Amino acid sequence: MNIPISPINEVRSKAALFDKHPHIWRAREKPVSENKFLLGNLILDEALHGGIATSGVVRVASLTGIGEITLFKHVLTTHRTHKLRVFIKPPAQLQAPWLSSLGVDLEQVIVVLPKTDQEALWAAEQCLKSAACHCVLLWNNTMDAKAARRLQVAASHNDTLCLLFTSPNQQRASFPITLDLSLHLRDAQLVVNIIKQRHGWPVSDIVIPHSWTPNNRAIQSAMQNNKNTEPALHSVI
């Protein structure tokens, strides 16, 4: 004989299932421990509960050239033997001396220059699946949720980080990714907004001091590097 379940007990039963589900984060819980990269800014790293995850997709909505790559220099320079840093469809030509000044090993850098965004997505997914990459930096403004999910799965399953750079003017759809950031300049300072983060709350207006005072350091560095023999960046078209 089947005994009918009361509506109250049914609600409690469903609530218990949600409460025990391992993939649902509850605000009362402490952030889950996971491997992370520090970004080098105390306030930002604290807001991210110890930095960004070492795998998965991080979307960065930013104008070009405001410090969006420099923000992740600690990630790019983290040593992982025989692991590549792959730049896919960057909006401008990457300069080897500049990457060297950040501390990036040029022998571990590959630049991929596909003709279309679809080819760029395919290249990014193959790089993430290869397990040969430390991180993949992809510039793409036509990403949809399905494609973002594919990159997230490929990155997570192969312990690889994917930095997805998009224009701040693009319509922001919600993506099933690890972290969603936006960057902009205000009073010569870089401002970071955490739109969405796994196991944490959104945080706005994290200010990072950034020097934009003109000087001749870039010219001096270029002249000095021009005297040295440095390996050129490996490009794939």
Side-chain angles (χ1 to χ4, degrees):
M1 175 174 150
N2 294 328
I3 301 175
I5 301 175
S6 69
I8 295 177
N9 289 334
E10 184 177 1
V11 170
R12 287 175 178 173
S13 178
K14 290 181 178 179
L17 289 175
F18 279 111
D19 198 51
K20 295 178 181 179
H21 198 289
H23 298 302
I24 296 178
W25 176 75
R26 289 156 286 276
R28 67 177 180 272
E29 296 178 343
K30 293 182 179 180
V32 177
S33 177
E34 60 181 339
N35 294 328
K36 293 195 172 185
F37 291 127
L38 290 172
L39 296 180
N41 179 273
L42 181 60
I43 298 177
L44 180 57
D45 285 332
E46 286 183 351
L48 293 169
H49 306 292
I52 63 173
T54 58
S55 63
V57 176
V58 176
R59 177 166 60 172
V60 184
S62 171
L63 293 174
T64 300
I66 66 171
E68 69 279 13
I69 297 179
T70 306
L71 180 65
F72 299 98
K73 67 179 180 179
H74 289 286
V75 176
L76 293 173
T77 56
T78 297
H79 179 70
R80 299 175 84 180
T81 305
H82 306 306
K83 292 288 187 177
L84 301 172
R85 285 85 172 139
V86 182
F87 294 75
I88 301 178
K89 208 178 181 186
Q93 184 175 355
L94 293 174
Q95 299 297 318
W98 176 72
L99 288 174
S100 290
S101 70
L102 292 181
V104 178
D105 183 357
L106 298 184
E107 291 289 347
Q108 295 182 332
V109 173
I110 292 180
V111 181
V112 182
L113 301 173
K115 294 181 180 178
T116 67
D117 280 350
Q118 286 303 312
E119 290 178 354
L121 285 173
W122 180 87
E125 187 173 356
Q126 302 314 305
C127 288
L128 294 171
K129 288 181 176 179
S130 72
C133 298
H134 164 59
C135 60
V136 173
L137 292 84
L138 168 66
W139 282 261
N140 190 293
N141 288 319
T142 60
M143 182 82 65
D144 58 21
K146 182 178 180 180
R149 176 62 180 170
R150 290 178 64 91
L151 294 185
Q152 174 70 18
V153 171
S156 299
H157 287 185
N158 294 282
D159 191 26
T160 308
L161 181 66
C162 179
L163 298 177
L164 170 64
F165 294 96
T166 65
S167 168
N169 300 320
Q170 295 297 120
Q171 185 175 1
R172 295 184 65 85
S174 179
F175 285 171
I177 57 178
T178 300
L179 179 63
D180 203 351
L181 304 175
S182 70
L183 313 179
H184 66 273
L185 285 179
R186 185 173 67 207
D187 299 328
Q189 293 180 316
L190 189 64
V191 180
V192 181
N193 294 318
I194 302 174
I195 308 300
K196 181 180 74 172
Q197 62 172 319
R198 188 169 57 187
H199 311 307
W201 292 107
V203 183
S204 299
D205 290 337
I206 302 172
V207 178
I208 299 177
H210 194 87
S211 174
W212 289 92
T213 304
N215 56 56
N216 64 352
R217 281 181 298 177
I219 297 174
Q220 291 175 342
S221 177
M223 293 179 66
Q224 182 63 36
N225 282 297
N226 193 43
K227 297 177 183 177
N228 301 327
T229 302
E230 290 191 359
L233 296 178
H234 306 284
S235 297
V236 179
I237 300 178

